[in-house]
Amino acid sequence: MLFNSLEFICLFLPITILGFFGLGRFGFRQAAIVWLVFTSFIFYGYWNANYVILIVCSMIFNYVIGNFIAKQYQFNHEQSKFNNNHFLFIGISVNVALLAYFKYANFFVKNLNLLAGTELTLGTIILPLGISFFTFQQIGYLVDSHKGKTIEYNFLDYCLFVIFFPQLIAGPIVHHEEVLPQFANKNITNFNFANIAIGLTIFSLGLFKKVILADGVSTYATPIFNASASGTLISSFEAWCGVLAYTFQLYFDFSGYSDMAIGIARIFGIILPENFDSPYKANSIIDFWRRWHITLSRFLKDYLYIPLGGNRKGEVRRYGNLMITMLLGGLWHGASWMFVIWGGLHGFYLIVNHLYAAIKKTLHLQSRDKSIWEIACYRIITFLSIMVAWIFFRAESLSAAVSILKSMLSFDLHNLTPNNLWGSPANINLIFCVLWLVLSSIIVWFAPNTQQILWRYKPTLSTKNNEIKNIFLWKPNLLWAISLGLIFFIAISKILEAKPSEFLYFQF
């Protein structure tokens, strides 16, 4: 069930809200939590009911192991430490094995066959939706239990921590201490008009981003990448248009999903962590990874980069740890060498970024006050680097990615004729494409983001006091209600015209 589908917006969400707050209104708090867990299972089972058993078994296993580890931590003797380490190893191994089988087994077998000349086969393995997200979330819970950071939560609240439908399929990846205390709050089932208004506002903005902006610009990205994959020769202008279109599509698609997830959770009185903070406004690759998929970056840093040694064992080891982290982060996105290349590129970018910062520090060239031209230069270089990496993220093969890069670098503008603009070899209208790209760039680089618009009302756990012009600040008044109602109406009208598309991050 998609957030941008009529069955979700008109049936599932209203019924879930009414049931949850209706039970809470009559004092049945526990029943309301059960209802939310039950409807979350319905939401997950809508895709493939068979995998409900998988996620239930995963939750039971991790809850039992996590509680055992947490109890062992209380005993300060060698045997308990021995048990703690071994059960943590077992817990992480089972989770990783589960993820490896469903997501990477055929990938490994395929590459083994290429190397060894064998013909092994595992058949078709259907990837359970959200397995990367709920697996990482529970691994984080086990590690925190090992560190003594958890308490013994009841199983119902733990189920909600894992299965809570707004962030189940594509994040944000939450820590237990961020949401479990909120689920345990006695007032969670009390109807709150402020939460409803804030949640619907964030949801509506996210829906518009997905249905109008992401899906709109995608009509110019997909044909160009498909044409390149099929061997069609595309011009330099087409290549730039296609890559820029995908760059903006992915931005609006993931930003839209993050807003919708945060908005839905807020309706139920749950505040999720920030996951998206205008990443294309980043002035460096380091800054980009502080803004893009923030909760995944945090997970990779806390549970992979730092355990590897982080920056504590010298610069060479630090750069090696960065590269390993980004390679595995790329592989996390999917069983493809293209994702590994994408991760490797970002690892290289980060190393160069850190080296540049170190050189500037050594030469005492650092300055707090940067000119607008210096900032613009950094931002353009960062954006172009990100855009090049997205080519490998999106392309179906290395040859298709290289073909697009060659077309971009050929600068063969002599083929740019009026006829080509209205009907290019990739069968897109390049004039309309340029208009979409101009509109997208204005929104991405100059418009305030959702967290900034609602910062006074703490839309996320990490929202900062981010002052913007008063005209852009959300207020619970008639003008904003009419504006958001119009945005919502436009998005629903678009959904009625065509079948809703999946979010890009659902495939990960």
Side-chain angles (χ1 to χ4, degrees), residues 90-102:
I90 291 170
I92 292 177
S93 297
V94 170
N95 280 284
V96 171
L98 190 71
L99 182 63
Y101 172 75
F102 282 102

Side-chain angles (χ1 to χ4, degrees), residues 137 161 167 172-179 272-273 295 298:
Q137 200 156 297
F161 159 66
Q167 48 82 219
I173 302 170
V174 298
H175 283 320
H176 69 93
E177 72 269 15
E178 293 174 326
V179 293
L272 295 178
T295 57
R298 179 182 65 178

Side-chain angles (χ1 to χ4, degrees), residues 317-329:
R317 179 70 177 272
R318 176 194 196 181
Y319 298 144
N321 292 339
L322 271 174
M323 182 59 75
I324 292 170
T325 300
M326 295 313 299
L327 287 171
L328 292 176

Side-chain angles (χ1 to χ4, degrees), residues 272-333:
L272 295 178
E274 188 176 8
N275 206 31
F276 205 85
D277 182 23
S278 299
Y280 291 168
K281 292 179 182 178
N283 297 326
S284 67
I285 292 296
I286 295 172
D287 189 25
F288 171 77
W289 280 104
R290 290 171 181 157
R291 294 167 174 263
W292 177 275
H293 209 332
I294 297 169
T295 57
L296 174 62
S297 299
R298 179 182 65 178
F299 182 93
L300 292 174
K301 177 185 175 183
D302 292 346
Y303 301 109
L304 184 57
Y305 175 71
I306 291 176
L308 284 171
N311 59 358
R312 302 185 306 274
K313 299 184 178 182
E315 289 300 301
V316 174
R317 179 70 177 272
R318 176 194 196 181
Y319 298 144
N321 292 339
L322 271 174
M323 182 59 75
I324 292 170
T325 300
M326 295 313 299
L327 287 171
L328 292 176
L331 190 61
W332 174 88
H333 283 82

Side-chain angles (χ1 to χ4, degrees), residues 478-488:
L478 183 60
L479 179 61
W480 269 100
I482 293 172
S483 302
L484 288 165
L486 181 61
I487 285 174
F488 186 79

Side-chain angles (χ1 to χ4, degrees), residues 108-325:
F108 290 140
V109 168
K110 178 182 176 181
N111 284 279
L112 178 63
N113 287 339
L114 288 173
L115 290 172
T118 56
E119 296 182 1
L120 300 174
T121 179
L122 294 176
T124 302
I125 300 174
I126 300 174
L127 180 67
L129 278 171
I131 188 171
S132 299
F133 290 91
F134 69 72
T135 300
F136 270 28
Q137 200 156 297
Q138 293 188 100
I139 287 175
Y141 177 79
L142 294 181
V143 174
D144 287 347
S145 297
H146 181 261
K147 294 178 179 179
K149 294 181 179 181
T150 64
I151 62 175
E152 190 173 347
Y153 299 99
N154 69 63
F155 183 61
L156 189 61
D157 286 341
Y158 180 81
C159 285
L160 197 53
F161 159 66
V162 178
I163 199 73
F164 188 44
F165 73 90
Q167 48 82 219
L168 171 63
I169 305 298
I173 302 170
V174 298
H175 283 320
H176 69 93
E177 72 269 15
E178 293 174 326
V179 293
L180 274 169
Q182 295 187 68
F183 293 142
N185 187 345
K186 293 181 179 179
N187 297 319
I188 188 178
T189 57
N190 294 343
F191 188 85
N192 185 299
F193 281 106
N195 284 336
I196 298 294
I198 295 167
L200 288 177
T201 297
I202 299 172
F203 178 83
S204 298
L205 291 171
L207 183 66
F208 185 86
K209 287 179 186 177
K210 166 59 181 170
V211 174
I212 302 301
L213 299 177
D215 290 352
V217 78
S218 72
T219 59
Y220 304 102
T222 304
I224 288 175
F225 275 92
N226 288 346
S228 177
S230 66
T232 302
L233 184 64
I234 58 175
S235 68
S236 178
F237 191 73
E238 282 181 300
W240 277 94
C241 285
V243 174
L244 278 167
Y246 180 71
T247 299
F248 290 128
Q249 177 198 356
L250 189 57
Y251 179 99
F252 290 125
D253 193 278
F254 191 37
S255 177
Y257 177 88
S258 296
D259 282 354
M260 293 168 82
I262 289 167
I264 297 165
R266 186 57 176 264
I267 291 172
F268 294 97
I270 303 300
I271 303 178
L272 295 178
E274 188 176 8
N275 206 31
F276 205 85
D277 182 23
S278 299
Y280 291 168
K281 292 179 182 178
N283 297 326
S284 67
I285 292 296
I286 295 172
D287 189 25
F288 171 77
W289 280 104
R290 290 171 181 157
R291 294 167 174 263
W292 177 275
H293 209 332
I294 297 169
T295 57
L296 174 62
S297 299
R298 179 182 65 178
F299 182 93
L300 292 174
K301 177 185 175 183
D302 292 346
Y303 301 109
L304 184 57
Y305 175 71
I306 291 176
L308 284 171
N311 59 358
R312 302 185 306 274
K313 299 184 178 182
E315 289 300 301
V316 174
R317 179 70 177 272
R318 176 194 196 181
Y319 298 144
N321 292 339
L322 271 174
M323 182 59 75
I324 292 170
T325 300

